[in-house]
Amino acid sequence: MMGKSSSVDCHFPDRRALTSGRIPMSSEETNDPPFPPPIPHVVDWELALEAVGGDRKLLQDVVGLFLKHGPVHMTDIRSALDTANHRALHIAAHTLKGETRYFGADRLEETALALELMARDAITGKPLDDVEPTFERLTGQFAELVEALRGFVK
């Protein structure tokens, strides 16, 4: 049985809806230190800042919550795989997928979705094919995102 997971309690709007206004990103435009450079498919700081309405402090809070709860979701996913608990795998992968949307972590989001869909299929009796390589890929992508996020909150 998996431990209780917590997630950021927000709904992420469709990414296309976020492009309506420009959020200041450079230190010349704000009094804040500059953002670390974006890392394609790992973190998109402009998207992340837009997701929180341009509130840099809120973004720091969201990053802090992800750094706290993301590892719990990864542990929940591993535990669900080890115990063949397909419903728990579905929930944990879905939660992780949703939380990564704030950061534009496209590859991680896609891999979490793949695990979520595998779990959904397994609930209906289909075998979990390629689940371990998918989890290994997720683990590497998660580590890349965590490293990038730690660079923002240090």
Side-chain angles (χ1 to χ4, degrees):
M1 179 149 197
M2 287 187 5
K4 184 176 180 185
S5 295
S6 189
S7 64
V8 177
D9 189 23
C10 298
H11 295 285
F12 188 83
D14 182 13
R15 288 183 184 171
R16 292 176 296 250
L18 295 175
T19 59
S20 60
R22 185 167 180 312
I23 303 294
M25 289 295 295
S26 72
S27 56
E28 293 89 34
E29 297 176 84
T30 69
N31 292 328
D32 297 319
F35 279 83
I39 303 168
H41 306 289
V42 175
V43 66
D44 178 338
W45 292 114
E46 189 168 354
L47 176 70
L49 194 58
E50 287 177 5
V52 294
D55 186 332
R56 188 180 178 112
K57 173 65 176 115
L58 180 57
L59 179 56
Q60 288 176 325
D61 292 345
V62 169
V63 167
L65 286 170
F66 182 82
L67 291 174
K68 179 179 179 183
H69 297 289
V72 173
H73 302 313
M74 290 297 293
T75 299
D76 289 348
I77 290 169
R78 177 75 265 167
S79 176
L81 289 171
D82 290 344
T83 60
N85 185 335
H86 308 310
R87 290 188 194 287
L89 175 60
H90 184 266
I91 291 167
H94 175 81
T95 302
L96 182 66
K97 177 194 72 179
E99 290 180 358
T100 62
R101 298 185 89 188
Y102 287 95
F103 310 114
D106 297 340
R107 290 183 190 146
L108 176 57
E109 184 180 341
E110 290 169 10
T111 305
L113 174 61
L115 277 176
E116 177 185 353
L117 295 176
M118 287 178 190
R120 184 192 66 193
D121 289 346
I123 290 169
T124 63
K126 294 181 183 171
L128 277 175
D129 294 329
D130 298 321
V131 71
E132 284 302 324
T134 304
F135 179 73
E136 288 175 21
R137 190 169 61 252
L138 182 80
T139 300
Q141 293 163 344
F142 179 80
E144 289 175 333
L145 179 58
V146 166
E147 183 178 335
L149 296 179
R150 284 188 179 142
F152 175 67
V153 294
K154 63 178 171 177

